[in-house]
Amino acid sequence: TRTRALRITKRVLRVKEGKYHKGYLKVVLNIQNYTSKDISDVKILDFLPKLIKHFSEFGTLEPKHIQQGNHGLRFIWEVHKLHSGEERVISYKIEPQLNLFGNIKLPPASLQFTKNDKLVIRKSNVAKFELKREL
């Protein structure tokens, strides 16, 4: 099996903050360069639906742009160079608005770069998580 040149995966983790806090959710994007070459000017795009808000603090890398749309927010990160074999992790905290519970799906994140003057786009998986009703 041939491994893809560049891979992006998306997960949602539940982070507990002590006994009395309800904790928060964290979106983690994993970007991996499996090629033997460095890849330049990589854009990572992620979309956050309207019913979910993000905290203004970001993990390792701040987005270059945050665009507000009718259906939610779009985050755009720019990575100048992704070295061969390098793995980058981008994370941010989110919190569902209202009393959302049940199975929630976040749309795939995507990765864009130019190869031989063509735009290449890779999409991640859909991140699913379950919110239980707080008692």
Side-chain angles (χ1 to χ4, degrees), residues 73-118:
L73 287 179
R74 185 178 8 188
F75 299 116
I76 302 171
W77 288 270
E78 291 177 7
V79 175
H80 180 61
K81 188 164 283 210
L82 201 58
H83 297 285
S84 170
E86 186 179 356
E87 185 173 333
R88 284 280 180 105
V89 177
I90 293 175
S91 65
Y92 59 94
K93 293 177 175 182
I94 58 171
E95 181 179 72
Q97 291 177 334
L98 310 167
N99 283 328
L100 280 182
F101 54 92
N103 289 318
I104 313 273
K105 288 181 186 163
L106 291 182
S110 65
L111 192 66
Q112 298 180 353
F113 63 100
T114 307
K115 183 180 175 186
N116 306 333
D117 295 330
K118 284 199 185 91

Short mmCIF file of all heavy atoms in Angstrom, two decimals, residues 73-118:
data_model
loop_
_atom_site.label_atom_id
_atom_site.label_comp_id
_atom_site.label_asym_id
_atom_site.label_seq_id
_atom_site.Cartn_x
_atom_site.Cartn_y
_atom_site.Cartn_z
N LEU A 73 -17.35 29.33 11.97
CA LEU A 73 -16.02 29.93 11.85
C LEU A 73 -15.10 29.06 11.01
O LEU A 73 -15.16 27.83 11.09
CB LEU A 73 -15.37 30.03 13.24
CG LEU A 73 -15.89 31.07 14.21
CD1 LEU A 73 -15.12 30.95 15.51
CD2 LEU A 73 -15.72 32.46 13.64
N ARG A 74 -14.25 29.73 10.25
CA ARG A 74 -13.22 28.99 9.55
C ARG A 74 -11.87 29.47 10.07
O ARG A 74 -11.58 30.65 10.10
CB ARG A 74 -13.30 29.22 8.05
CG ARG A 74 -12.28 28.33 7.36
CD ARG A 74 -12.24 28.37 5.90
NE ARG A 74 -13.07 29.40 5.33
CZ ARG A 74 -13.29 29.51 4.03
NH1 ARG A 74 -12.77 28.65 3.21
NH2 ARG A 74 -14.02 30.47 3.55
N PHE A 75 -11.04 28.50 10.47
CA PHE A 75 -9.68 28.79 10.92
C PHE A 75 -8.74 28.45 9.79
O PHE A 75 -8.89 27.41 9.15
CB PHE A 75 -9.30 27.92 12.11
CG PHE A 75 -10.17 28.11 13.32
CD1 PHE A 75 -10.95 27.08 13.79
CD2 PHE A 75 -10.20 29.32 13.97
CE1 PHE A 75 -11.76 27.24 14.90
CE2 PHE A 75 -11.01 29.51 15.09
CZ PHE A 75 -11.78 28.46 15.55
N ILE A 76 -7.76 29.31 9.57
CA ILE A 76 -6.75 29.03 8.54
C ILE A 76 -5.37 29.19 9.17
O ILE A 76 -5.02 30.26 9.66
CB ILE A 76 -6.90 29.99 7.34
CG1 ILE A 76 -8.30 29.85 6.74
CG2 ILE A 76 -5.82 29.68 6.29
CD1 ILE A 76 -8.63 30.90 5.71
N TRP A 77 -4.63 28.09 9.18
CA TRP A 77 -3.25 28.13 9.65
C TRP A 77 -2.35 28.03 8.44
O TRP A 77 -2.69 27.38 7.45
CB TRP A 77 -2.96 26.92 10.55
CG TRP A 77 -3.59 26.96 11.89
CD1 TRP A 77 -3.08 27.49 13.04
CD2 TRP A 77 -4.86 26.40 12.26
NE1 TRP A 77 -3.95 27.30 14.08
CE2 TRP A 77 -5.05 26.65 13.63
CE3 TRP A 77 -5.86 25.73 11.56
CZ2 TRP A 77 -6.19 26.24 14.31
CZ3 TRP A 77 -7.00 25.32 12.23
CH2 TRP A 77 -7.15 25.58 13.59
N GLU A 78 -1.21 28.67 8.53
CA GLU A 78 -0.24 28.57 7.45
C GLU A 78 1.06 28.05 8.02
O GLU A 78 1.57 28.57 9.00
CB GLU A 78 -0.05 29.93 6.79
CG GLU A 78 -1.28 30.37 6.02
CD GLU A 78 -1.17 31.76 5.42
OE1 GLU A 78 -0.06 32.35 5.48
OE2 GLU A 78 -2.18 32.25 4.90
N VAL A 79 1.56 26.99 7.42
CA VAL A 79 2.84 26.42 7.83
C VAL A 79 3.80 26.66 6.67
O VAL A 79 3.57 26.19 5.56
CB VAL A 79 2.71 24.91 8.14
CG1 VAL A 79 4.07 24.31 8.44
CG2 VAL A 79 1.75 24.70 9.31
N HIS A 80 4.84 27.43 6.95
CA HIS A 80 5.78 27.81 5.90
C HIS A 80 6.46 26.58 5.28
O HIS A 80 6.55 26.44 4.08
CB HIS A 80 6.82 28.78 6.45
CG HIS A 80 7.82 29.20 5.43
ND1 HIS A 80 7.47 29.86 4.28
CD2 HIS A 80 9.16 29.02 5.37
CE1 HIS A 80 8.55 30.08 3.55
NE2 HIS A 80 9.59 29.57 4.19
N LYS A 81 6.93 25.69 6.14
CA LYS A 81 7.59 24.49 5.62
C LYS A 81 7.29 23.31 6.53
O LYS A 81 7.36 23.42 7.75
CB LYS A 81 9.09 24.73 5.55
CG LYS A 81 9.80 23.60 4.83
CD LYS A 81 11.19 24.00 4.41
CE LYS A 81 11.07 24.89 3.21
NZ LYS A 81 12.07 24.94 2.25
N LEU A 82 6.93 22.20 5.89
CA LEU A 82 6.73 20.95 6.62
C LEU A 82 7.82 20.01 6.14
O LEU A 82 7.83 19.59 4.98
CB LEU A 82 5.33 20.41 6.29
CG LEU A 82 4.70 19.43 7.25
CD1 LEU A 82 4.57 20.03 8.65
CD2 LEU A 82 3.33 19.02 6.74
N HIS A 83 8.78 19.72 7.02
CA HIS A 83 9.93 18.92 6.62
C HIS A 83 9.55 17.46 6.42
O HIS A 83 8.56 16.98 6.97
CB HIS A 83 11.04 19.03 7.67
CG HIS A 83 11.56 20.43 7.80
ND1 HIS A 83 12.39 20.99 6.86
CD2 HIS A 83 11.33 21.38 8.73
CE1 HIS A 83 12.67 22.24 7.21
NE2 HIS A 83 12.04 22.50 8.34
N SER A 84 10.36 16.77 5.65
CA SER A 84 10.15 15.34 5.42
C SER A 84 10.10 14.60 6.75
O SER A 84 10.96 14.80 7.60
CB SER A 84 11.31 14.81 4.57
OG SER A 84 11.24 13.41 4.52
N GLY A 85 9.06 13.79 6.94
CA GLY A 85 8.94 13.03 8.19
C GLY A 85 8.40 13.83 9.36
O GLY A 85 8.22 13.29 10.44
N GLU A 86 8.16 15.12 9.16
CA GLU A 86 7.72 15.96 10.28
C GLU A 86 6.24 15.75 10.59
O GLU A 86 5.44 15.45 9.72
CB GLU A 86 7.94 17.44 9.94
CG GLU A 86 7.63 18.36 11.10
CD GLU A 86 7.88 19.84 10.79
OE1 GLU A 86 8.37 20.16 9.68
OE2 GLU A 86 7.56 20.66 11.64
N GLU A 87 5.93 15.88 11.85
CA GLU A 87 4.55 15.82 12.29
C GLU A 87 4.24 17.08 13.07
O GLU A 87 5.02 17.49 13.92
CB GLU A 87 4.37 14.59 13.19
CG GLU A 87 2.95 14.38 13.60
CD GLU A 87 2.76 13.07 14.36
OE1 GLU A 87 3.54 12.13 14.14
OE2 GLU A 87 1.84 13.03 15.17
N ARG A 88 3.13 17.71 12.74
CA ARG A 88 2.71 18.91 13.46
C ARG A 88 1.39 18.63 14.15
O ARG A 88 0.55 17.93 13.60
CB ARG A 88 2.47 20.07 12.49
CG ARG A 88 3.71 20.72 11.96
CD ARG A 88 4.29 21.69 12.98
NE ARG A 88 5.47 22.30 12.43
CZ ARG A 88 5.50 23.55 11.97
NH1 ARG A 88 4.44 24.29 11.99
NH2 ARG A 88 6.62 24.02 11.49
N VAL A 89 1.23 19.20 15.32
CA VAL A 89 -0.03 19.06 16.03
C VAL A 89 -0.59 20.45 16.27
O VAL A 89 0.11 21.33 16.77
CB VAL A 89 0.17 18.33 17.38
CG1 VAL A 89 -1.14 18.27 18.15
CG2 VAL A 89 0.71 16.94 17.15
N ILE A 90 -1.83 20.64 15.86
CA ILE A 90 -2.51 21.91 16.09
C ILE A 90 -3.70 21.60 16.97
O ILE A 90 -4.43 20.64 16.71
CB ILE A 90 -2.98 22.52 14.75
CG1 ILE A 90 -1.78 22.92 13.91
CG2 ILE A 90 -3.91 23.71 14.99
CD1 ILE A 90 -2.14 23.42 12.53
N SER A 91 -3.88 22.38 18.03
CA SER A 91 -5.03 22.09 18.89
C SER A 91 -5.69 23.37 19.35
O SER A 91 -5.05 24.42 19.42
CB SER A 91 -4.58 21.26 20.10
OG SER A 91 -3.71 22.02 20.90
N TYR A 92 -6.96 23.27 19.64
CA TYR A 92 -7.69 24.39 20.23
C TYR A 92 -8.87 23.88 21.04
O TYR A 92 -9.33 22.76 20.83
CB TYR A 92 -8.13 25.40 19.15
CG TYR A 92 -9.03 24.86 18.08
CD1 TYR A 92 -10.41 24.96 18.19
CD2 TYR A 92 -8.49 24.27 16.93
CE1 TYR A 92 -11.24 24.47 17.18
CE2 TYR A 92 -9.32 23.79 15.93
CZ TYR A 92 -10.70 23.89 16.07
OH TYR A 92 -11.51 23.41 15.08
N LYS A 93 -9.29 24.70 21.98
CA LYS A 93 -10.38 24.31 22.86
C LYS A 93 -11.71 24.76 22.30
O LYS A 93 -11.81 25.84 21.72
CB LYS A 93 -10.25 25.01 24.21
CG LYS A 93 -9.08 24.61 25.05
CD LYS A 93 -9.17 25.51 26.26
CE LYS A 93 -8.18 25.27 27.33
NZ LYS A 93 -8.42 26.18 28.45
N ILE A 94 -12.72 23.92 22.50
CA ILE A 94 -14.06 24.28 22.06
C ILE A 94 -15.05 24.02 23.17
O ILE A 94 -14.77 23.28 24.12
CB ILE A 94 -14.50 23.50 20.80
CG1 ILE A 94 -14.46 21.99 21.07
CG2 ILE A 94 -13.68 23.87 19.60
CD1 ILE A 94 -15.10 21.16 19.97
N GLU A 95 -16.22 24.60 23.03
CA GLU A 95 -17.29 24.37 23.98
C GLU A 95 -18.61 24.46 23.24
O GLU A 95 -18.87 25.47 22.59
CB GLU A 95 -17.21 25.45 25.06
CG GLU A 95 -18.26 25.31 26.12
CD GLU A 95 -18.10 26.40 27.17
OE1 GLU A 95 -18.42 27.56 26.86
OE2 GLU A 95 -17.66 26.08 28.27
N PRO A 96 -19.42 23.41 23.30
CA PRO A 96 -20.71 23.48 22.63
C PRO A 96 -21.59 24.53 23.29
O PRO A 96 -21.57 24.68 24.50
CB PRO A 96 -21.31 22.08 22.86
CG PRO A 96 -20.15 21.22 23.23
CD PRO A 96 -19.17 22.12 23.90
N GLN A 97 -22.33 25.28 22.48
CA GLN A 97 -23.26 26.24 23.02
C GLN A 97 -24.57 25.54 23.27
O GLN A 97 -24.79 24.43 22.81
CB GLN A 97 -23.46 27.40 22.05
CG GLN A 97 -22.22 28.26 21.94
CD GLN A 97 -22.40 29.37 20.93
OE1 GLN A 97 -23.19 29.27 20.01
NE2 GLN A 97 -21.65 30.43 21.11
N LEU A 98 -25.46 26.18 23.97
CA LEU A 98 -26.74 25.61 24.33
C LEU A 98 -26.50 24.32 25.10
O LEU A 98 -25.43 24.07 25.60
CB LEU A 98 -27.58 25.32 23.07
CG LEU A 98 -27.72 26.46 22.08
CD1 LEU A 98 -28.28 25.96 20.77
CD2 LEU A 98 -28.60 27.55 22.66
N ASN A 99 -27.52 23.52 25.21
CA ASN A 99 -27.31 22.22 25.85
C ASN A 99 -27.31 21.14 24.80
O ASN A 99 -28.26 20.40 24.66
CB ASN A 99 -28.39 21.96 26.90
CG ASN A 99 -28.11 22.75 28.16
OD1 ASN A 99 -26.95 22.98 28.50
ND2 ASN A 99 -29.15 23.17 28.84
N LEU A 100 -26.25 21.11 24.04
CA LEU A 100 -26.13 20.08 23.02
C LEU A 100 -25.74 18.79 23.70
O LEU A 100 -24.88 18.78 24.57
CB LEU A 100 -24.99 20.43 22.06
CG LEU A 100 -25.24 21.43 20.96
CD1 LEU A 100 -23.98 21.54 20.13
CD2 LEU A 100 -26.40 21.01 20.09
N PHE A 101 -26.39 17.72 23.31
CA PHE A 101 -25.89 16.42 23.76
C PHE A 101 -26.23 15.38 22.72
O PHE A 101 -26.99 15.65 21.79
CB PHE A 101 -26.41 16.05 25.15
CG PHE A 101 -27.90 16.08 25.27
CD1 PHE A 101 -28.66 14.95 25.03
CD2 PHE A 101 -28.54 17.26 25.63
CE1 PHE A 101 -30.03 14.98 25.14
CE2 PHE A 101 -29.92 17.30 25.73
CZ PHE A 101 -30.67 16.16 25.49
N GLY A 102 -25.63 14.21 22.86
CA GLY A 102 -25.78 13.18 21.85
C GLY A 102 -24.52 13.11 21.01
O GLY A 102 -23.47 13.59 21.43
N ASN A 103 -24.65 12.52 19.84
CA ASN A 103 -23.48 12.37 18.98
C ASN A 103 -23.28 13.61 18.13
O ASN A 103 -24.18 14.02 17.42
CB ASN A 103 -23.64 11.15 18.08
CG ASN A 103 -23.53 9.88 18.90
OD1 ASN A 103 -22.68 9.77 19.77
ND2 ASN A 103 -24.40 8.93 18.63
N ILE A 104 -22.13 14.20 18.24
CA ILE A 104 -21.80 15.41 17.52
C ILE A 104 -20.72 15.07 16.50
O ILE A 104 -19.80 14.30 16.80
CB ILE A 104 -21.24 16.48 18.49
CG1 ILE A 104 -22.10 16.60 19.73
CG2 ILE A 104 -21.01 17.80 17.78
CD1 ILE A 104 -23.26 17.52 19.67
N LYS A 105 -20.84 15.63 15.30
CA LYS A 105 -19.82 15.41 14.28
C LYS A 105 -19.26 16.76 13.86
O LYS A 105 -20.02 17.68 13.59
CB LYS A 105 -20.44 14.76 13.05
CG LYS A 105 -20.82 13.33 13.24
CD LYS A 105 -21.39 12.77 11.95
CE LYS A 105 -21.91 11.38 12.19
NZ LYS A 105 -22.80 10.94 11.13
N LEU A 106 -17.95 16.85 13.82
CA LEU A 106 -17.31 18.05 13.31
C LEU A 106 -16.83 17.75 11.89
O LEU A 106 -16.27 16.68 11.63
CB LEU A 106 -16.11 18.44 14.18
CG LEU A 106 -16.45 18.95 15.58
CD1 LEU A 106 -15.17 19.33 16.30
CD2 LEU A 106 -17.40 20.12 15.53
N PRO A 107 -17.05 18.69 10.98
CA PRO A 107 -16.64 18.44 9.59
C PRO A 107 -15.13 18.24 9.47
O PRO A 107 -14.39 18.67 10.34
CB PRO A 107 -17.09 19.70 8.86
CG PRO A 107 -17.35 20.72 9.90
CD PRO A 107 -17.63 20.00 11.18
N PRO A 108 -14.70 17.58 8.40
CA PRO A 108 -13.27 17.32 8.23
C PRO A 108 -12.47 18.61 8.10
O PRO A 108 -12.97 19.60 7.58
CB PRO A 108 -13.18 16.53 6.93
CG PRO A 108 -14.55 16.31 6.45
CD PRO A 108 -15.50 17.05 7.31
N ALA A 109 -11.24 18.56 8.57
CA ALA A 109 -10.31 19.66 8.32
C ALA A 109 -9.65 19.36 6.99
O ALA A 109 -9.70 18.24 6.51
CB ALA A 109 -9.26 19.70 9.43
N SER A 110 -9.02 20.36 6.38
CA SER A 110 -8.32 20.06 5.14
C SER A 110 -6.97 20.74 5.10
O SER A 110 -6.69 21.66 5.84
CB SER A 110 -9.16 20.44 3.91
OG SER A 110 -9.34 21.83 3.87
N LEU A 111 -6.18 20.21 4.20
CA LEU A 111 -4.79 20.59 4.07
C LEU A 111 -4.61 20.95 2.62
O LEU A 111 -5.08 20.23 1.75
CB LEU A 111 -4.03 19.31 4.39
CG LEU A 111 -2.59 19.28 4.62
CD1 LEU A 111 -2.27 20.04 5.88
CD2 LEU A 111 -2.19 17.82 4.80
N GLN A 112 -3.97 22.07 2.33
CA GLN A 112 -3.78 22.47 0.94
C GLN A 112 -2.32 22.84 0.70
O GLN A 112 -1.70 23.50 1.54
CB GLN A 112 -4.63 23.70 0.61
CG GLN A 112 -6.10 23.49 0.75
CD GLN A 112 -6.89 24.74 0.40
OE1 GLN A 112 -6.33 25.81 0.16
NE2 GLN A 112 -8.19 24.61 0.37
N PHE A 113 -1.82 22.40 -0.43
CA PHE A 113 -0.49 22.84 -0.85
C PHE A 113 -0.42 22.73 -2.36
O PHE A 113 -1.28 22.11 -2.99
CB PHE A 113 0.63 22.02 -0.17
CG PHE A 113 0.62 20.57 -0.51
CD1 PHE A 113 1.50 20.06 -1.45
CD2 PHE A 113 -0.25 19.70 0.13
CE1 PHE A 113 1.49 18.70 -1.76
CE2 PHE A 113 -0.25 18.34 -0.18
CZ PHE A 113 0.62 17.84 -1.12
N THR A 114 0.58 23.34 -2.95
CA THR A 114 0.71 23.32 -4.40
C THR A 114 1.85 22.39 -4.79
O THR A 114 2.93 22.45 -4.21
CB THR A 114 1.00 24.75 -4.91
OG1 THR A 114 -0.01 25.61 -4.41
CG2 THR A 114 0.97 24.80 -6.42
N LYS A 115 1.56 21.50 -5.74
CA LYS A 115 2.58 20.58 -6.22
C LYS A 115 2.52 20.62 -7.74
O LYS A 115 1.45 20.42 -8.32
CB LYS A 115 2.25 19.17 -5.70
CG LYS A 115 3.27 18.14 -6.09
CD LYS A 115 2.85 16.79 -5.53
CE LYS A 115 3.78 15.70 -6.00
NZ LYS A 115 3.31 14.39 -5.59
N ASN A 116 3.64 20.88 -8.37
CA ASN A 116 3.70 21.02 -9.83
C ASN A 116 2.60 21.95 -10.35
O ASN A 116 1.87 21.62 -11.27
CB ASN A 116 3.55 19.65 -10.52
CG ASN A 116 4.57 18.65 -10.00
OD1 ASN A 116 5.64 19.04 -9.56
ND2 ASN A 116 4.23 17.38 -10.03
N ASP A 117 2.49 23.09 -9.72
CA ASP A 117 1.50 24.12 -10.10
C ASP A 117 0.04 23.66 -9.98
O ASP A 117 -0.85 24.26 -10.57
CB ASP A 117 1.73 24.63 -11.53
CG ASP A 117 3.06 25.36 -11.63
OD1 ASP A 117 3.48 25.96 -10.62
OD2 ASP A 117 3.68 25.33 -12.71
N LYS A 118 -0.20 22.58 -9.27
CA LYS A 118 -1.58 22.14 -9.04
C LYS A 118 -1.88 22.22 -7.55
O LYS A 118 -1.04 21.89 -6.73
CB LYS A 118 -1.76 20.69 -9.49
CG LYS A 118 -1.85 20.49 -10.98
CD LYS A 118 -2.50 19.13 -11.27
CE LYS A 118 -2.50 18.83 -12.75
NZ LYS A 118 -1.32 18.08 -13.20
#
